[in-house]
Amino acid sequence: MRFVTILCILLTGTGAAFSQSISGNMNSEAHSEALRYGNVDIYKGDKLVASVLTDKLGNFAVALDTGTYVCVMNYAGFSPITKEIKVTGDEVANFKMKEDPSAPKRAAKSEDGDMRDEFRTLSEVAISAERKPVSSAKIVRREEVSALPTKHVSGVASTTGGVGTVMAIPPGSKSGELGTAGYAATASSKQLTAGEINDFSKWLMWQDLSKGELANYQKMWQIAPSGRYTVMLQSESGIPVVDAIVQLFLNRDVVFTTRTDNTGKAECWLTIKNETPVVNGKLSIQINYNGKTSTINKVTAFENGLNHQKLTISCQEVENVDVAFVVDATGSMGDEINFLQAEMSDIIFQSKQISNKLNFRFANVYYRDEGDSYVTKSMNFNRILSESDAFINEQAAGGGGDFPEAMDVGLDSAINNLSWSESARARILFLILDAPPHQGSAVNERLQRLILQAAEKGIRIVPIGASGIDKSTEYLMRALALGTNGTYTFLTDHSGIGNSHIKPSTDTYEVETLNAILVRIMKSYTYMPDCQQNIPDLALNIPDSIVSTIPAKDSSDTNVTIDPKALNITWSYYPNPTNGMITILPNTNIKELYVSDLSGKVLQVIPKLRKDERIQVDLSGYATGIYLIRYLDENNHWLSGKVVLQRTS
């Protein structure tokens, strides 16, 4: 067992200064091995005041005021430990967890990836996860893809893969010999490469695509979110109003119901079916929050602006975050499922660092197809991350046979059978798949209903397209994301892992690790200012004032070199943070400047900025938070900078 005394405080987000802390280590008493991603909950009386996870070495640290606290340690397969600790300085408390003989047995994977008849305790599953060997296979890592922070790749509408079938083969293995067990042996986090397309950030392009090259798939699935109306709610002091119920009315009929996200915004649709939206009467938007109702009678379509509303309410900090993973577990996922499993807990751990007050819960739904050993297999929401980790690690790819799978059944199970929080800052559903559902009118109607149900519950769907995705599936996933205020992500060939991946229909996208993309999405979906207007440091490496870049050559070749003729562009804006107005000074002509939220959703477009000419942009109508100013340079590369909008409390 390795123990490292934590001297630095890992927690950020409140801005408050503490001179005391509790730090320590969680490990297995029987095996003397670190227990990673264990839950550490700190109570003062009956109130949960902090909740953190142990790191990969089992270490944790919590900043606290002076006082007496109760520390509760939980790990799957082990008996909980409760200990009272008096905090007068930097206290150290180590915890040796004893295995719980009454813990449920988990089925273990056999070498071919299926479940064998013998069983292990949760603690044995957890310990074996720690002992997974690190891959020695040659893969192309992000820093090898490009020397730049991101690599820009042209999007090509294609039904075939980009660079062919490439596998990560361990030394000594022959091509074709690597089964699920081989992938399990090499799988670790931060290996898969991916891209993201947020169609809210490229709204006009999405409309063109859905009417052009993707039109046949729109007709196939009979799903096309259209008639967009965006609502932004904030308190009188500018704090975003989270989890308010927002309903779009046409005359007296409710046509769409959703909830505001962590930025106080809600996306309403006049229709999610493949039909032309028709306003046949009066539109209005009704807002319900804490039992009080208000109405927006003059409704503005998104093309003409946002629908702003300020509510006279007291500030309330909503801390619940629900995260569900819905995973295609059919045989075709065998090339990537173990790598995806390796990502999940690490992504949660990194995302939780923005605040020790966030109360995360985790759930899982794995699905196959009718006629397989199971159609769906679920774990309901649980606060103990290691419980979710143990469930995930016992799953394997198998079954299937034809291309379509029971994706709609798995999605239905997650949306309607899991116990989503009644009140939450965020509800996020990661849908990981490599094939569409079966086609037909009944499936299409079910998918339409599921979009409406997810939106009504405030569940944001984030699809992750694996190898095997075709254009029809890509369209459907992007439509699901739009209808539920989510975003679309997809694996790429740059890692050398798995079979080939198609390129999405778009102009350009940036290649990153899947880990980095999902952490950024998680943070952008869960951050928000506290009641004192403090905004957490999200550690996303987005520039604060000056943006400078030397773009790489536009290529899908992983052996990228710097273009010697590339531009070096700098520009500035100030003040930052701002309480409303910012002044922008570009050193080049800018055709259009975009103001977006942290997820990339466009909120405002400023046309025709001239070189060396100052322009003022008013952000005062937006809620307190982090915003991006972005523009597309002449080489079709996005340049972005971060603006913090913060009022005095």
Side-chain angles (χ1 to χ4, degrees):
M1 188 278 290
R2 298 169 58 191
F3 170 67
V4 179
T5 301
I6 304 294
L7 298 177
C8 60
I9 301 305
L10 301 177
L11 306 173
T12 59
T14 63
F18 297 97
S19 57
Q20 296 78 234
S21 67
I22 299 175
S23 63
N25 179 269
M26 180 193 293
N27 66 79
S28 164
E29 181 180 70
H31 301 277
S32 295
E33 293 194 53
L35 297 178
R36 62 178 181 176
Y37 308 138
N39 283 64
V40 183
D41 294 328
I42 309 295
Y43 291 84
K44 192 161 190 179
D46 294 330
K47 183 179 180 183
L48 180 66
V49 295
S51 177
V52 300
L53 299 171
T54 59
D55 65 15
K56 291 183 178 180
L57 297 177
N59 297 317
F60 69 94
V62 186
L64 296 165
D65 285 324
T66 300
T68 300
Y69 298 88
V70 174
C71 186
V72 181
M73 314 293 283
N74 278 287
Y75 203 92
F78 293 83
S79 299
I81 293 178
T82 300
K83 184 176 182 180
E84 184 177 276
I85 300 175
K86 292 183 178 180
V87 176
T88 58
D90 292 327
E91 311 296 338
V92 176
N94 299 321
F95 295 84
K96 290 186 176 295
M97 307 290 286
K98 294 182 179 181
E99 295 184 21
D100 182 359
S102 65
K105 300 290 185 177
R106 294 286 196 187
K109 286 182 187 177
S110 65
E111 290 187 357
D112 63 0
D114 290 329
M115 312 313 290
R116 39 177 208 250
D117 291 333
E118 65 178 282
F119 291 86
R120 298 180 293 178
T121 64
L122 279 170
S123 61
E124 289 170 329
V125 174
I127 294 300
S128 68
E130 297 297 324
R131 292 173 175 164
K132 284 183 180 178
V134 178
S135 171
S136 56
K138 173 60 178 174
I139 65 166
V140 183
R141 300 185 185 280
R142 182 182 174 195
E143 57 267 26
E144 294 173 314
V145 172
S146 172
L148 304 175
T150 54
K151 176 179 180 289
H152 300 266
V153 181
S154 293
V156 179
S158 171
T159 57
T160 60
V163 296
T165 302
V166 183
M167 301 272 188
I169 309 293
S173 298
K174 295 180 181 179
S175 178
E177 290 183 350
L178 188 61
T180 304
Y183 282 110
T186 63
S188 62
S189 63
K190 302 181 183 178
Q191 294 193 50
L192 295 173
T193 54
E196 177 194 3
I197 297 177
N198 186 334
D199 287 307
F200 288 111
S201 70
K202 300 180 179 181
W203 179 239
L204 294 179
M205 179 181 295
W206 168 255
Q207 291 178 302
D208 291 340
L209 286 170
S210 58
K211 294 175 183 176
E213 65 184 76
L214 299 180
N216 287 337
Y217 310 117
Q218 178 175 297
K219 184 177 180 181
M220 175 189 299
W221 297 112
Q222 288 296 302
I223 294 175
S226 51
R228 180 183 172 193
Y229 298 85
T230 304
V231 180
M232 177 178 278
L233 302 182
Q234 57 183 297
S235 68
E236 293 288 347
S237 62
I239 299 294
V241 178
V242 178
D243 212 28
I245 298 172
V246 177
Q247 295 180 304
L248 178 65
F249 279 79
L250 178 57
N251 298 318
R252 295 184 178 181
D253 297 324
V254 177
V255 295
F256 196 84
T257 302
T258 187
R259 298 192 181 212
T260 51
D261 60 24
N262 60 306
T263 68
K265 291 193 296 297
E267 296 290 345
C268 297
W269 304 98
L270 200 56
T271 182
I272 51 91
K273 298 179 181 180
N274 182 30
E275 59 188 16
T276 302
V278 177
V279 180
N280 219 352
K282 178 182 164 98
L283 285 175
S284 62
I285 292 173
Q286 185 171 289
I287 300 153
N288 292 280
Y289 185 74
N290 281 353
K292 296 182 180 180
T293 301
S294 60
T295 303
I296 301 175
N297 288 309
K298 293 183 178 179
V299 176
T300 302
F302 173 78
E303 289 76 11
N304 300 319
L306 307 184
N307 294 279
H308 294 271
Q309 185 87 326
K310 285 189 176 182
L311 304 183
T312 305
I313 58 173
S314 58
C315 181
Q316 296 184 7
E317 297 180 5
V318 182
E319 311 294 358
N320 294 332
V321 176
D322 289 349
V323 181
F325 293 98
V326 180
V327 183
D328 178 347
T330 54
S332 60
M333 287 288 291
D335 60 334
E336 290 165 327
I337 193 169
N338 288 294
F339 290 90
L340 289 162
Q341 288 169 334
E343 299 283 359
M344 295 178 186
S345 293
D346 185 67
I347 289 164
I348 298 295
F349 175 78
Q350 293 186 67
S351 303
K352 204 175 188 306
Q353 300 311 301
I354 68 172
S355 173
N356 66 355
K357 293 183 178 180
L358 290 182
N359 182 21
F360 275 77
R361 299 193 311 153
F362 319 99
N364 299 278
V365 175
Y366 279 65
Y367 67 86
R368 291 185 176 175
D369 205 357
E370 300 290 344
D372 288 338
S373 58
Y374 65 85
V375 179
T376 64
K377 183 184 292 187
S378 302
M379 171 189 163
N380 207 350
F381 281 107
N382 191 314
R383 290 190 64 250
I384 312 303
L385 179 56
S386 51
E387 293 275 6
S388 178
D389 199 35
F391 178 89
I392 288 170
N393 276 295
E394 73 175 357
Q395 307 306 318
D402 56 353
F403 182 48
E405 312 296 358
M407 183 274 278
D408 54 314
V409 181
L411 198 60
D412 197 338
S413 179
I415 292 170
N416 292 305
N417 295 338
L418 297 179
S419 55
W420 297 90
S421 294
E422 289 296 323
S423 175
R425 178 184 296 197
R427 304 174 187 86
I428 307 168
L429 189 157
F430 290 107
L431 175 60
I432 304 169
L433 75 171
D434 69 351
H438 294 270
Q439 294 181 21
S441 59
V443 171
N444 290 349
E445 289 173 6
R446 171 183 257 173
L447 291 171
Q448 292 168 0
R449 171 175 56 81
L450 290 174
I451 291 174
L452 295 175
Q453 290 172 333
E456 184 172 359
K457 294 183 178 183
I459 301 169
R460 305 173 78 165
I461 298 177
V462 179
I464 303 172
S467 61
I469 288 290
D470 64 0
K471 280 290 156 182
S472 73
T473 315
E474 178 194 328
Y475 172 83
L476 177 60
M477 295 305 99
R478 291 169 74 169
L480 288 174
L482 276 172
T484 60
N485 195 23
T487 188
Y488 173 64
T489 65
F490 50 93
L491 300 183
T492 72
D493 289 330
H494 301 84
S495 67
I497 297 171
N499 299 317
S500 61
H501 307 81
I502 65 168
K503 294 181 180 179
S505 297
T506 189
D507 50 0
T508 62
Y509 60 92
E510 298 173 350
V511 177
E512 305 172 72
T513 63
L514 177 67
N515 186 284
I517 290 175
L518 296 189
V519 168
R520 184 178 66 247
I521 291 171
M522 285 284 291
K523 288 183 176 181
S524 69
Y525 284 6
T526 57
Y527 96 97
M528 64 176 295
D530 62 19
C531 292
Q532 288 71 48
Q533 299 274 345
N534 295 305
I535 299 174
D537 178 8
L538 304 184
L540 293 177
N541 299 318
I542 301 172
D544 287 324
S545 187
I546 304 293
V547 176
S548 178
T549 187
I550 303 176
K553 287 194 298 186
D554 187 2
S555 171
S556 60
D557 184 1
T558 58
N559 297 314
V560 175
T561 57
I562 301 296
D563 185 350
K565 297 181 180 180
L567 297 175
N568 190 350
I569 301 174
T570 61
W571 49 309
S572 63
Y573 51 92
Y574 54 88
N576 193 16
T578 179
N579 60 7
M581 300 297 296
I582 60 169
T583 300
I584 300 173
L585 179 62
N587 78 336
T588 186
N589 293 328
I590 298 176
K591 182 179 179 181
E592 288 181 320
L593 183 76
Y594 298 87
V595 178
S596 70
D597 66 12
L598 189 57
S599 71
K601 185 183 297 184
V602 174
L603 306 175
Q604 188 178 160
V605 180
I606 300 101
K608 296 181 180 178
L609 278 72
R610 295 187 177 88
K611 178 180 178 180
D612 298 329
E613 182 176 314
R614 288 177 173 81
I615 183 171
Q616 286 195 319
V617 178
D618 187 3
L619 306 181
S620 59
Y622 300 150
T624 298
I626 300 173
Y627 297 88
L628 303 178
I629 53 174
R630 316 174 68 216
Y631 78 94
L632 200 61
D633 72 11
E634 59 189 60
N635 292 324
N636 280 334
H637 297 137
W638 283 102
L639 303 183
S640 302
K642 178 179 68 177
V643 178
V644 176
L645 175 60
Q646 190 172 33
R647 285 91 169 176
T648 56
S649 58

